[in-house]
Amino acid sequence: MGNRLAAAPVEELAVPLRGQYALPLTRSPSRIAIGDPDVADVKVLPPGPNRGGQVLVLGKKPGLTQLQVWSGPNGAPQVWNVRVMGDVQAALAARGVAGNAQVDVAGGGAVVSGLSTSSLDHRNAVEAAQAASGKDKVVDVSTVNVSSVVQVDVRMVEVSRSTLKDVGINANFGKGPWGASSNLIPSGLATALGGTANGFVFAYDSAHFGATLSLLESNGLARVLAQPTLLAQSGQSASFLAGGEIPVPEAGGLGTQSVVYKPFGIGLSVTPTVLSPSRIALKVAPEASELDPTNGIPIVNGNTTTVIPALSTRKADTTVELGDGETFIISGLVSRQTKAAVSKVPFLGDLPIIGAFFRGVSYSQDDRELVIVVTPHLVRPIARGVSLPLPGAREEVGNTAGTAWGYYLLGPAGGQQMPGFSR
């Protein structure tokens, strides 16, 4: 037993389908054994002037087999695991995009194993296995060596710009039992003129005649910002909503009634897919909605009338591909609402020039634009056992038996503070 020679290590050999590979040998082979002749065939080449004997391995069909070659009378054989690649797998290997995952074809099926450096390499290996054995005959036991957790930093800015213009005249005339009046100041100005006259007001008043001319123009700008941070696993969705829900009654069976809650506000849904350590495919669906009482639906229940407000919605749905830490912006979700109203005295308000004394004009315009800035990052969890500092942890003093007494007796000079971190 002690004189037996140690077996030679097993080597791996990949041969393309209908291809060949010459194994260099130091001596001419004395015996050759192939496990499955249907997968690979061998042919012995005689030694030449400047070379020893060679064994030519021919790939016949995709699969895995073993080749043993004896070069001496009593020596241990050299062993190779011969893997015959399919046409698609061989083409990927020739282009250098086959990846690290292994595709083994045996018994009419295929097994994908090993470690892929990216989702693209894994997809290439699976498709090569399907091409060699069929779509329903692939067993995938490989793994992808890339972080599958994506942190998506989102900044959502909604800018609202409103413009209001009101022009109107109030006039009255009277003497004795007869009189006349024209009240054409818009409602916006009527409130503004009660004590605090906003805009421009010009008035004339006498014993028998009084008139007031009012001009008002206002511009407003509002900015609403939401800045959520979402974490999602590759291929899964994460959502965010800054707003609320309104109850909507819904009729049920047998005269029953239930309540369904409809969300509204600024919302976002993201679905990241990690393609490689430097590429992320991200599906983004932003939405901005607000209550619209103008288009509400009244519901009458006995003597009670309830108005269910409508929802004014702006939404988008898009998919982009970008690198780790890169940013893209979605903008142009603009909503404009314009209202104009003219109040006038019949016939007199249609006259040129003089008709301005018998007309009132109210004009308003509201522009809203939504801008979304999205930045994805590949993240990994914090290692086990790491101490995480929390806000205020360094300043906080735990409650002990003598904590309050030291502060009570010595005050701030004692260097001790009350429990908590607020002084």
Side-chain angles (χ1 to χ4, degrees):
M1 298 292 293
N3 295 328
R4 293 189 59 183
L5 297 176
V10 179
E11 301 181 18
E12 298 291 332
L13 177 62
V15 180
L17 183 63
R18 294 180 297 274
Q20 56 188 10
Y21 184 84
L23 292 176
L25 301 176
T26 58
R27 299 174 58 184
S28 299
S30 59
R31 187 157 56 99
I32 297 176
I34 187 72
D36 189 353
D38 294 334
V39 174
D41 197 4
V42 292
K43 184 178 180 180
V44 179
L45 300 178
N50 298 324
R51 61 176 174 83
Q54 287 185 336
V55 173
L56 190 64
V57 182
L58 307 175
K60 299 178 64 176
K61 75 173 185 179
L64 181 66
T65 187
Q66 192 175 71
L67 172 64
Q68 300 184 44
V69 178
W70 286 264
S71 299
N74 299 321
Q78 291 181 274
V79 183
W80 287 271
N81 287 331
V82 181
R83 179 180 290 103
V84 179
M85 300 180 294
D87 293 332
V88 176
Q89 187 181 4
L92 293 176
R95 297 294 183 180
V97 293
N100 296 328
Q102 299 292 335
V103 178
D104 298 324
V105 181
V111 177
V112 182
S113 60
L115 186 64
S116 299
T117 56
S118 67
S119 299
L120 298 178
D121 293 342
H122 176 261
R123 186 188 64 183
N124 294 339
V126 172
E127 291 182 352
Q130 292 176 353
S133 63
K135 184 176 182 180
D136 299 330
K137 298 181 180 180
V138 176
V139 179
D140 184 9
V141 294
S142 63
T143 57
V144 181
N145 186 23
V146 66
S147 176
S148 60
V149 179
V150 180
Q151 173 184 321
V152 183
D153 297 331
V154 184
R155 286 174 292 174
M156 308 180 69
V157 182
E158 185 179 22
V159 181
S160 175
R161 181 183 180 91
S162 60
T163 302
L164 174 66
K165 297 178 181 180
D166 287 328
V167 181
I169 294 179
N170 276 359
N172 59 79
F173 173 78
K175 186 177 182 181
W178 297 95
S181 65
S182 175
N183 299 319
L184 298 175
I185 294 180
S187 59
L189 279 176
T191 305
L193 295 177
T196 57
N198 296 328
F200 173 77
V201 178
F202 178 77
Y204 172 79
D205 194 7
S206 65
H208 306 293
F209 177 76
T212 302
L213 170 65
S214 300
L215 304 175
L216 175 65
E217 180 176 351
S218 64
N219 295 304
L221 180 65
R223 184 173 183 262
V224 180
L225 176 65
Q227 193 169 353
T229 297
L230 305 178
L231 286 176
Q233 191 174 3
S234 178
Q236 304 298 321
S237 299
S239 59
F240 160 81
L241 175 65
E245 294 183 343
I246 57 173
V248 178
E250 188 176 75
L254 302 177
T256 61
Q257 194 175 45
S258 59
V259 176
V260 178
Y261 289 89
K262 302 293 184 180
F264 70 94
I266 300 178
L268 178 70
S269 176
V270 295
T271 305
T273 301
V274 180
L275 303 179
S276 68
S278 59
R279 302 305 297 173
I280 302 173
L282 191 64
K283 180 179 181 181
V284 184
E287 179 178 349
S289 59
E290 58 185 354
L291 299 179
D292 186 7
T294 306
N295 299 320
I297 301 176
I299 297 178
V300 180
N301 186 9
N303 296 328
T304 304
T305 301
T306 304
V307 178
I308 304 299
L311 292 177
S312 178
T313 305
R314 289 169 290 156
K315 62 176 64 177
D317 192 345
T318 183
T319 302
V320 295
E321 181 180 337
L322 64 166
D324 183 10
E326 293 181 349
T327 301
F328 75 95
I329 300 175
I330 300 176
S331 63
L333 299 176
V334 181
S335 173
R336 170 173 292 181
Q337 186 177 17
T338 303
K339 296 180 180 179
V342 179
S343 302
K344 61 183 178 180
V345 177
F347 181 71
L348 295 178
D350 297 329
L351 296 176
I353 302 177
I354 196 173
F357 295 96
F358 303 96
R359 285 196 302 265
V361 178
S362 176
Y363 171 84
S364 65
Q365 180 173 295
D366 187 11
D367 294 335
R368 293 175 178 266
E369 181 172 1
L370 183 63
V371 180
I372 300 103
V373 182
V374 181
T375 306
H377 301 276
L378 289 177
V379 296
R380 293 185 180 272
I382 299 175
R384 182 187 305 176
V386 176
S387 179
L388 299 178
L390 300 177
R394 298 179 59 181
E395 293 81 7
E396 184 178 9
V397 176
N399 185 21
T400 60
T403 301
W405 292 106
Y407 185 85
Y408 172 72
L409 295 175
L410 301 177
Q416 195 175 36
Q417 64 185 39
M418 295 292 289
F421 54 87
S422 59
R423 301 186 179 184

